[in-house]
Amino acid sequence: MAADVDRVEYGRRRTALLVLALMIMVFIVLSAFSFVGSRDQITPDTVTYAGAFGAVDGKRVFQAYNCMGCHTIVGNGAYLGPDLTNTFESAGPAWIAAFLPSAGTWPTEAALRVQLQSQNQTAETGITDLAAYYEAYPGAKERIERRGGLPTFMPNLGFRAGEVNEVIAFLKYTSLMDTEGWPPTPKVDGLEFPQAAKAINVVATDGSTTAGATADPAVGLTLADQYGCFACHAKTEARLVGPGWGGLFGSDQPLEGGGSATTDEAFLAESITHPDAAVAAGYPAGVMPAYAGILTEDEVNAIVAYIRSLEKP
Amino acid sequence: MTSYRTQRLSLRFFLLMLVLLLVQVVLGVVLSLQHADPTLLSGTMNFNVTRSQHVNLGVLWILSGFIGTILFVGPLLSKRELAAPWLIKFLFVALVAVTVWNAIAIFFAQKGIAGWWLGQPWIQEGLEYLEAGRAADIIILIGFAILAYVVLRTFPKRSEWNEIHWGLAIGVTALTVMWVFGMFFIGRIDLQEYFRWFVVHYWVEGVWEVIHISLIGILLVLMFKADVKAVGYAVFWGVTLVWLSGLLGNAHHYFWVGTPEFWQFWGSLFSALEPVPLILCFWHMYLDAHHDRKPIENKPAFYFLLGSAVLEMVGAGILGFTMTFALTNVWSHGTWVTPSHAHLSMFGTFGMLGLGAAYFIVPKLRKATDFDQRFGRLAFWLVFLGMLGIGFAFAIGGTIQVFTYRTLGLDWFGGDLYPAMGTYKVLLVLFGIVFLAGVALLVFDLMTLGHRVQAPAPQAADHTPPTSGWARPLRGFEAGTWLLGMWVFGFIITFGLLSYNLPRVQGGDPTIPYLAAAVGYPGLLLTTLLFVWRFLASLEARERASSVTMQRRTALAGD
């Protein structure tokens, strides 16, 4: 009797294991079909930003900063910040470049206009005009209008030269991926709902209000806020992406490639308008955008006056 | 039962488990505070660093508990000492070293340093659950290999193996093999996610589950003198059903990561079957606890084992079921809805097993079997209540997040989402503190158990056993009704997630999903709480009943 029960049980178990083996076969076949070339899924080795920055390098940067520890990508990761899969397609490269390395505030329109001048941006999108950019990337318009100048919670990460552009390449790749319709597209305009935060943009976005005021440190501070200078420069002596402004004025600054310069008004103004003319030792060239043609002479002078106000006593 | 000298080696792994658990839970509370105020510790210990530490320590203490339990039951299953005890001592040192190293290495993410060399990130690699760098990965791989070697060398000849031997042998071997899939940098997101879930899914839903079932099995044999053959039967079918459903069930991770649409069919179908073995395990727990009517000697151990089986069914089984269909997952994916499932199932299933095993084993090794059990029981209720609350806060916060973020398309977390979810972010902190209190209590209790002065065990109250009321004996029909109740609430939650697909909801009316969540989640979690209370009350009554009977017998003998 017991032997009979055992034999029946043995047969059942053998059947179960056979079914399991069949399942493994199914899984292997499905897996193989998932990654065949004919699927036309985009791969990162074929994606670059501005033809110069690779998406695979961007993925390395993305992992090195553990971006997945706060954000999700294709929905996986942590839930402190938004999903990044479609950020590129929504806000575009200039907005991302203006936002990273985040240092306290969301980019203003002024900061976005600076990034529109960047060679990489123009090479990628062919857009130099703000209106055209907003049309191509409506997410940027919404972000600038609702959040520009307001505080963000993302900590300053002090990216190294090239890393921001590589991250942009990676986000371009994830935007191009076919994720089977995820995340779902909203059917309504969320901004019309009470859940949407009120647009309380505290910073003027056209910059014209300051015209005529010369060399006023208070105006300089406002301008520096608008143009997102503090994304890369601390108000103290601390180094972020660029040198801190605290105690910078009137110091003796060694230059890349030998020699040194005194950081007086003329030198600082030149560093803002043509930053690569003389680069401070220890900092890579080509990181800071040139503000010639973006800032008026008066505005440059006001910012320099603000830097001077941070001089060591 | 502690007749083998090398069983004592398990003690150090349990102590390590307790230390890591305490740190992990403190970091969990810090995380919830950072969710409530993202400027907290920003620049010092950014959220991503805290979270990686929390996740990694969670894995490491659960593994320590597994190792401790395996080292204790290994000699019992083999009827001989553990092979190569020096290797186990080395394993312990390596585990401590790799834990400390990894905790430091995670901080390099704040500077964007991964330690790239030969195309691999050697210091830290910034992938969720696989944050450890390649250097740590290799040490961990060696550790797993040592564990597998020791277990397989200790076990008797293969012809003498029963199902528990097989379960543990396959478990420790697969633990090692699966880890390898997480040890390569992959440029493609879809391929990387495909292999990342090999490690994460097949670990928890394949390997850990097998170890879990086998260990629950052997502990039931040891605690209730349950019949080895009956337990072995349950272990075989438990493991087989886990694999039959879980192997293709892994497809539920391949819905939206860039893999083809056909995974949505396979994943929805097979992972919907994944609760089946969990219900079986739960039911077996009920049968074994009730197969004789003797009082339970070690209550904290049984409390946690019951908690493990129940939360496995509720957290992994029911909450997992609600979000496993492509049509519900498309909404829950990437939101706070998922950590409600993750916390209940991870801590519930595996964490509570480790704690139950510690309460079973530590007193035996310290020869303190008549220890004061009140601390352990109180700690159980605190962590159980705290964890149900954490699940509730995540689930309701997540329901609001899905509507605000996905349906309305509002993606400004600081401006739109934090205010909407604020209440539940605060609730998360509060329940986290309840949980932390329970953990602190049980860590203190287990650390000092057998070393501190024992309070005399309280005398059982002298009254007749209840035949009605809350503490009356639990019958199969009633247990089945509770189980059904939990599933009804599970279906309400599932319906709530499905309802996001309705045009009405997509047009901006959240009434249906909010109502379903407001009924479903509290209903499920309260039913779970009441059921465990009821189950344990009926067991407590047994003790009173038997002590009353004893007193009567003594009195009769006196006559």
Side-chain angles (χ1 to χ4, degrees):
Chain A
M1 183 64 194
D4 276 355
V5 173
D6 278 352
R7 202 164 51 239
V8 172
E9 172 70 8
Y10 177 76
R12 280 190 193 142
R13 288 188 180 191
R14 209 176 47 177
T15 314
L17 292 178
L18 279 174
V19 175
L20 190 62
L22 185 74
M23 299 257 185
I24 294 176
M25 298 293 290
V26 171
F27 185 83
I28 291 172
V29 170
L30 294 180
S31 298
F33 270 105
S34 298
F35 299 102
V36 290
S38 57
R39 268 203 73 231
D40 291 331
Q41 177 65 281
I42 191 94
T43 56
D45 49 328
T46 61
V47 179
T48 60
Y49 170 52
F53 300 95
V56 176
D57 292 329
K59 186 163 184 290
R60 290 178 193 273
V61 178
F62 193 83
Q63 287 187 216
Y65 285 92
N66 193 359
C67 303
M68 234 181 158
C70 294
H71 295 274
T72 51
I73 188 83
V74 294
N76 290 325
Y79 317 108
L80 188 71
D83 188 77
L84 299 179
T85 313
N86 293 329
T87 309
F88 181 92
E89 143 187 331
S90 157
W95 185 87
I96 299 173
F99 177 64
L100 296 173
S102 154
T105 55
W106 293 100
T108 58
E109 194 168 285
L112 182 64
R113 271 194 284 129
V114 172
Q115 294 299 333
L116 282 179
Q117 312 300 315
S118 110
Q119 283 179 3
N120 292 323
Q121 195 283 136
T122 18
E124 173 73 26
T125 62
I127 297 173
T128 50
D129 169 54
L130 191 66
Y133 186 83
Y134 279 163
E135 199 170 323
Y137 303 104
K141 185 169 197 285
E142 193 211 308
R143 282 169 171 82
I144 298 282
E145 284 175 354
R146 293 182 70 217
R147 313 177 202 176
L150 293 177
T152 126
F153 290 122
M154 179 151 159
N156 185 306
L157 293 174
F159 288 100
R160 285 170 282 271
E163 287 186 335
V164 168
N165 289 328
E166 286 164 355
V167 167
I168 293 174
F170 173 68
L171 294 177
K172 181 182 173 187
Y173 156 62
T174 59
S175 272
L176 289 169
M177 271 176 78
D178 174 7
T179 51
E180 301 299 336
W182 190 92
T185 316
K187 301 278 191 297
V188 287
D189 179 9
L191 295 178
E192 292 169 3
F193 286 80
Q195 285 89 340
K198 297 277 173 294
I200 37 165
N201 195 337
V202 288
V203 182
T205 51
D206 57 7
S208 59
T209 50
T210 56
T214 48
D216 178 354
V219 173
L221 174 60
T222 314
L223 282 165
D225 260 331
Q226 283 177 24
Y227 282 90
C229 303
F230 299 119
C232 301
H233 299 280
K235 294 174 188 174
T236 62
E237 288 177 44
R239 171 181 179 156
L240 297 176
V241 176
W245 284 357
L248 181 65
F249 187 87
S251 61
D252 216 25
Q253 179 67 58
L255 295 178
E256 193 69 27
S260 71
T262 306
T263 50
D264 55 9
E265 266 105 351
F267 177 83
L268 289 177
E270 177 74 0
S271 297
I272 294 171
T273 49
H274 302 99
D276 289 337
V279 180
Y283 292 92
V287 173
M288 173 158 160
Y291 286 78
I294 297 171
L295 295 169
T296 64
E297 201 181 324
D298 285 347
E299 287 172 331
V300 172
N301 290 339
I303 292 172
V304 171
Y306 172 68
I307 297 174
R308 183 173 186 167
S309 75
L310 300 173
E311 194 180 359
K312 261 188 229 148
Chain B
M1 202 181 285
T2 52
S3 42
Y4 300 94
R5 201 170 28 81
T6 47
Q7 279 180 306
R8 293 196 59 81
L9 285 169
S10 73
L11 197 55
R12 65 189 70 184
F13 286 94
F14 282 120
L15 296 184
L16 178 65
M17 168 182 97
L18 294 172
V19 173
L20 300 184
L21 163 65
L22 189 62
V23 179
Q24 193 226 357
V25 175
V26 169
L27 288 169
V29 173
V30 173
L31 271 179
S32 67
L33 288 168
Q34 287 183 313
H35 250 300
D37 174 12
T39 59
L40 184 74
L41 291 177
S42 183
T44 311
M45 184 164 71
N46 288 345
F47 181 89
N48 59 350
V49 171
T50 322
R51 184 182 192 263
S52 302
Q53 306 280 16
H54 178 73
V55 168
N56 286 354
L57 286 174
V59 173
L60 286 165
W61 78 255
I62 285 172
L63 283 174
S64 299
F66 278 170
I67 297 173
T69 316
I70 290 172
L71 295 181
F72 183 85
V73 302
L76 298 178
L77 284 167
S78 317
K79 300 193 175 57
R80 63 177 171 200
E81 296 284 354
L82 290 169
W86 67 272
L87 265 178
I88 298 164
K89 289 176 189 161
F90 174 77
L91 173 66
F92 180 77
V93 176
L95 185 57
V96 172
V98 89
T99 304
V100 173
W101 157 251
N102 187 51
I104 297 167
I106 295 294
F107 276 92
F108 282 82
Q110 295 194 162
K111 298 279 169 217
I113 296 168
W116 295 106
W117 180 55
L118 302 174
Q120 302 296 319
W122 288 83
I123 296 174
Q124 54 94 21
E125 78 169 318
L127 291 179
E128 188 192 23
Y129 305 123
L130 306 180
E131 289 90 349
R134 212 57 80 231
D137 286 351
I138 291 172
I139 304 295
I140 293 170
L141 183 70
I142 294 170
F144 288 151
I146 290 176
L147 179 69
Y149 173 80
V150 169
V151 169
L152 295 177
R153 277 299 303 274
T154 305
F155 274 0
K157 285 204 304 277
R158 202 118 40 106
S159 55
E160 294 169 25
W161 285 13
N162 61 30
E163 291 87 346
I164 298 173
H165 291 99
W166 275 104
L168 284 179
I170 292 171
V172 292
T173 313
L175 194 66
T176 318
V177 174
M178 279 302 150
W179 182 245
V180 177
F181 289 101
M183 291 179 67
F184 300 94
F185 172 81
I186 301 169
R188 292 177 65 159
I189 276 272
D190 47 356
L191 198 60
Q192 171 225 294
E193 288 297 287
Y194 175 82
F195 281 119
R196 193 169 68 87
W197 290 111
F198 263 54
V199 183
V200 181
H201 176 96
Y202 287 137
W203 255 31
V204 295
E205 273 155 279
V207 178
W208 288 18
E209 199 68 58
V210 170
I211 296 176
H212 173 261
I213 292 174
S214 309
L215 288 181
I216 286 258
I218 178 78
L219 289 174
L220 287 175
V221 170
L222 295 176
M223 286 176 80
F224 298 108
K225 324 274 180 297
D227 177 32
V228 177
K229 198 167 173 184
V231 169
Y233 175 83
V235 167
F236 175 86
W237 286 104
V239 169
T240 307
L241 287 173
V242 160
W243 284 351
L244 283 176
S245 56
L247 182 88
L248 276 165
N250 189 15
H252 61 217
H253 297 293
Y254 300 157
F255 290 168
W256 326 111
V257 298
T259 36
E261 192 178 12
F262 57 66
W263 288 108
Q264 293 179 22
F265 166 76
W266 294 96
S268 303
L269 182 67
F270 280 93
S271 69
L273 300 173
E274 282 185 66
V276 173
L278 311 186
I279 295 169
L280 191 87
C281 176
F282 168 87
W283 197 250
H284 215 273
M285 190 88 186
Y286 164 77
L287 290 180
D288 287 333
H290 289 77
H291 93 288
D292 62 13
R293 295 265 158 202
K294 278 191 234 117
I296 290 174
E297 285 167 21
N298 186 335
K299 290 201 200 64
F302 180 75
Y303 278 31
F304 279 104
L305 287 191
L306 177 72
S308 172
V310 170
L311 283 188
E312 178 180 41
M313 213 242 338
V314 173
I318 296 179
L319 289 180
F321 177 87
T322 64
M323 59 185 77
T324 204
F325 304 97
L327 278 176
T328 56
N329 190 270
V330 68
W331 301 103
S332 65
H333 186 55
T335 71
W336 259 29
V337 173
T338 54
S340 70
H341 152 70
H343 277 78
L344 284 179
S345 53
M346 184 81 169
F347 172 76
T349 313
F350 304 114
M352 284 225 178
L353 171 69
L355 294 174
Y359 263 111
F360 183 70
I361 293 168
V362 171
K364 286 192 192 306
L365 293 177
R366 292 231 181 102
K367 309 225 181 326
T369 39
D370 60 341
F371 67 104
D372 183 356
Q373 304 190 346
R374 285 173 297 182
F375 280 145
R377 289 153 67 181
L378 177 61
F380 167 79
W381 282 111
L382 286 173
V383 295
F384 188 58
L385 199 71
M387 191 41 83
L388 290 177
I390 288 170
F392 171 74
F394 273 128
I396 303 291
T399 306
I400 297 169
Q401 188 187 8
V402 171
F403 181 74
T404 321
Y405 188 26
R406 301 264 183 257
T407 309
L408 300 183
L410 298 171
D411 60 358
W412 181 11
F413 272 52
D416 307 325
L417 288 171
Y418 290 178
M421 297 161 70
T423 313
Y424 299 94
K425 293 203 170 196
V426 174
L427 264 187
L428 185 64
V429 177
L430 294 179
F431 282 114
I433 289 169
V434 173
F435 187 77
L436 174 62
V439 166
L441 183 62
L442 76 86
V443 168
F444 164 79
D445 189 33
L446 280 167
M447 286 279 189
T448 59
L449 200 154
H451 293 326
R452 62 172 189 263
V453 178
Q454 290 290 329
Q459 290 296 311
D462 181 20
H463 61 73
T464 45
T467 49
S468 62
W470 193 242
R472 69 189 185 279
L474 181 68
R475 310 254 170 233
F477 179 75
E478 192 196 333
T481 311
W482 283 102
L483 185 67
L484 187 68
M486 293 178 203
W487 273 97
V488 168
F489 286 114
F491 283 118
I492 294 175
I493 298 170
T494 313
F495 172 72
L497 282 171
L498 263 179
S499 73
Y500 283 104
N501 295 299
L502 296 174
R504 181 195 173 93
V505 181
Q506 297 208 347
D509 178 5
T511 314
I512 300 172
Y514 279 13
L515 206 60
V519 173
Y521 289 112
L524 172 65
L525 299 172
L526 282 174
T527 310
T528 308
L529 184 69
L530 289 173
F531 170 70
V532 170
W533 184 14
R534 171 81 181 88
F535 195 111
L536 292 175
S538 80
L539 288 185
E540 301 276 316
R542 268 193 219 172
E543 175 182 43
R544 288 198 295 272
S546 73
S547 81
V548 169
T549 322
M550 288 282 261
Q551 280 161 9
R552 280 200 192 128
R553 275 192 200 135
T554 324
L556 285 171
D559 287 343

